[in-house]
Amino acid sequence: MSSIEVAKKMAVTEAADIAKHYGVPQSLVNLYFVEINGRAYQMEPFLVRVAQKKGVQRMEISKPKEVNGVWECECKIYPKVPMDLFRHLDMMDAATRAKVLNYHMEPTVEWGRASKENVRMSTMHMWLPEMAIKRAVTRCCRKFSGVDLTAYEE
């Protein structure tokens, strides 16, 4: 018997509950979540959706690099700056303005790493650079959005 559990689609009742809780269409729940060992894990499309709802200006993903057999990738999410903030900037002194802009424009940064040691399935080893990208994106979206549960891709 394999130690790797098979991911499966959510049952209709569970999907309805999750859809209601997160405010997503029930028809998309199986795109956003997967169940493993009776526990639901969110997937990358859901995390990107949550980040976009919070307000993403842009997302930057570095090209994966291999360092000592470990593929690494960096993801940065820059938040949308609230438009009403610009109306108040001219009322602030230069130091305060710089602090406020820095606070609102600072990106959320997270890394994704993939190696033969942390990817069990040998058939996936050829996709380590792509796995590093997915891990970076999901971790960055989780951090940006305040979602503290581990993602399926991680």
Side-chain angles (χ1 to χ4, degrees):
M1 178 172 236
S2 173
S3 64
I4 299 174
E5 293 296 324
V6 177
K8 61 181 181 176
K9 288 185 174 182
M10 306 291 290
V12 175
T13 55
E14 296 163 335
D17 292 341
I18 288 175
K20 184 178 178 183
H21 179 76
Y22 287 106
V24 298
Q26 186 173 340
S27 60
L28 297 179
V29 168
N30 284 315
L31 174 66
Y32 290 159
F33 297 91
V34 67
E35 181 185 334
I36 302 173
N37 288 337
R39 181 170 179 245
Y41 289 87
Q42 67 267 11
M43 298 173 71
E44 183 185 27
F46 172 74
L47 293 167
V48 170
R49 181 180 193 266
V50 171
Q52 287 174 337
K53 283 179 99 175
K54 185 173 179 188
V56 173
Q57 177 198 28
R58 74 179 188 272
M59 186 182 297
E60 291 179 0
I61 303 164
S62 69
K63 186 175 179 179
K65 296 177 188 167
E66 185 181 12
V67 178
N68 298 325
V70 178
W71 285 91
E72 298 179 343
C73 181
E74 180 186 50
C75 179
K76 293 180 182 178
I77 295 179
Y78 291 86
K80 281 186 183 174
V81 178
M83 291 307 292
D84 60 331
L85 175 69
F86 292 107
R87 291 185 206 122
H88 302 289
L89 285 177
D90 59 345
M91 296 178 222
M92 299 176 193
D93 62 84
T96 304
R97 184 180 316 122
K99 287 179 185 176
V100 168
L101 284 173
N102 187 45
Y103 173 79
H104 283 284
M105 298 175 117
E106 188 74 24
T108 299
V109 181
E110 197 55 67
W111 288 85
R113 293 173 183 83
S115 67
K116 291 181 180 180
E117 286 75 37
N118 66 15
V119 176
R120 288 190 222 168
M121 295 176 60
S122 60
T123 56
M124 297 302 291
H125 289 171
M126 65 186 278
W127 302 107
L128 292 176
E130 290 80 4
M131 292 182 82
I133 293 170
K134 279 213 173 268
R135 288 177 175 180
V137 169
T138 56
R139 288 177 182 156
C140 199
C141 286
R142 286 193 317 114
K143 188 175 181 181
F144 179 79
S145 305
V147 176
D148 61 352
L149 302 172
T150 304
Y152 172 70
E153 287 83 1
E154 291 183 72

